[in-house]
Amino acid sequence: MVELKTDTSIDEMYAAGQVVGRALTAVREVADVGVSLLELDEVAHQVLRDAGARSPFLGYRPSFAPTPFPAVLCASVNDAIVHGIPGGYRLRDGDLVSADFGAELGGWVGDSAISFVVGKPRAADLRLIETAERALAAGIEAAVVGNRIGDIAHAVGTVCRAAGYGIPDGFGGHGVGRRMHEDPGVPNEGRPGRGLPLRHGMVLAIEPMLIGGGTDGYHADPDGWTLRTDDGSRAAHTEHTVAITSAGPRILTAR
């Protein structure tokens, strides 16, 4: 069931989204060669504490996961696509990092992700990240009243495929509200004009995930969480929580 949010609720979700935006900005500023992923998690955790917010990630356990997620930040490096668990790994020059973060404030959730390079970037990584950002922008542009979920999926997928990148099947965006994952699902590839109609008050997380090698295959690490590219190529992940309104899409996790 899809819950339509009131304008007041959307404003409250914006407050949660701004906590997310501040945390991701702080993580990106601190990330440098020699910094551990655990240190990035602590930076994000401190933003939550300062805001009086809680983490929808910490302790989260969906059906596919063997254990609850042990951190407030997903930190996925290089060939890790999503759901990377922060550990003692220290960032190296040229690492591509995807950081995914959520915050719950006042009973509402915000969810967003960014990808960036630490140190000297490879041209191919910059192109991959730029394409992920363009795919996200295209998805947001399609998130208007009167369109359908398939229009968002088609917009995202068209950008990704035109650039020659792969898309991991079965993972994509979702509704957001009182919980981090709500209906409807928002695929990263699809046919325009299909799926649920978009209505004022729907709030969606739109999140392109791109595989640099152009294939779609992926697998889970032994931790049961981290998803990696089968071909060993690098991946990028971007995401915003977006409200569908009669005035157009409103990005609730804008940074």
Side-chain angles (χ1 to χ4, degrees):
M1 180 175 135
V2 177
E3 176 193 5
L4 298 180
K5 280 71 175 178
T6 66
D7 292 344
T8 298
S9 296
I10 290 172
D11 287 340
E12 292 172 348
M13 292 190 71
Y14 178 82
Q18 292 310 287
V19 176
V20 177
R22 290 197 299 273
L24 288 175
T25 298
V27 165
R28 185 168 188 170
E29 288 175 348
V30 169
D32 202 352
V33 175
V35 174
S36 75
L37 300 184
L38 277 174
E39 290 174 283
L40 297 185
D41 185 69
E42 177 54 31
V43 166
H45 209 157
Q46 189 59 51
V47 173
L48 284 177
R49 296 187 193 102
D50 291 344
R54 64 174 296 275
S55 171
F57 287 21
L58 183 62
Y60 180 62
R61 188 178 183 182
S63 58
F64 67 80
T67 58
F69 195 75
V72 302
L73 179 75
C74 292
S76 306
V77 180
N78 296 333
D79 64 330
I81 307 167
V82 288
H83 303 162
I85 297 175
Y89 177 83
R90 294 190 176 276
L91 294 170
R92 301 171 183 172
D93 188 44
D95 276 348
L96 194 166
V97 181
S98 294
D100 189 0
F101 183 78
E104 181 184 324
L105 183 68
W108 296 104
V109 173
D111 187 12
S112 185
I114 57 172
S115 288
F116 56 89
V117 176
V118 172
K120 184 177 180 180
R122 305 178 185 180
D125 289 345
L126 294 179
R127 177 174 175 266
L128 178 64
I129 293 169
E130 187 271 336
T131 304
E133 291 173 346
R134 282 196 296 111
L136 176 58
I140 293 171
E141 185 177 357
V144 296
V145 173
N147 272 358
R148 293 176 177 267
I149 291 292
D151 294 304
I152 298 175
H154 178 72
V156 171
T158 296
V159 172
C160 297
R161 294 300 190 189
Y165 297 127
I167 300 171
D169 184 45
F171 286 88
H174 48 86
V176 184
R178 295 286 185 184
R179 293 175 292 112
M180 180 169 56
H181 290 131
E182 296 184 350
D183 291 333
V186 186
N188 284 326
E189 193 167 31
R191 297 177 63 181
R194 300 293 183 91
L196 192 71
L198 303 180
R199 299 172 58 190
H200 180 92
M202 292 175 65
V203 179
L204 308 173
I206 301 172
E207 52 177 320
M209 304 170 193
L210 282 64
I211 296 176
T215 62
D216 296 349
Y218 63 91
H219 60 275
D221 269 3
D223 63 27
W225 277 100
T226 308
L227 300 184
R228 295 191 183 276
T229 63
D230 278 351
D231 62 9
S233 66
R234 295 189 170 196
H237 175 208
T238 57
E239 177 184 18
H240 270 309
T241 298
V242 180
I244 312 297
T245 81
S246 55
R250 180 182 179 187
I251 301 173
L252 305 182
T253 47
R255 295 179 287 276

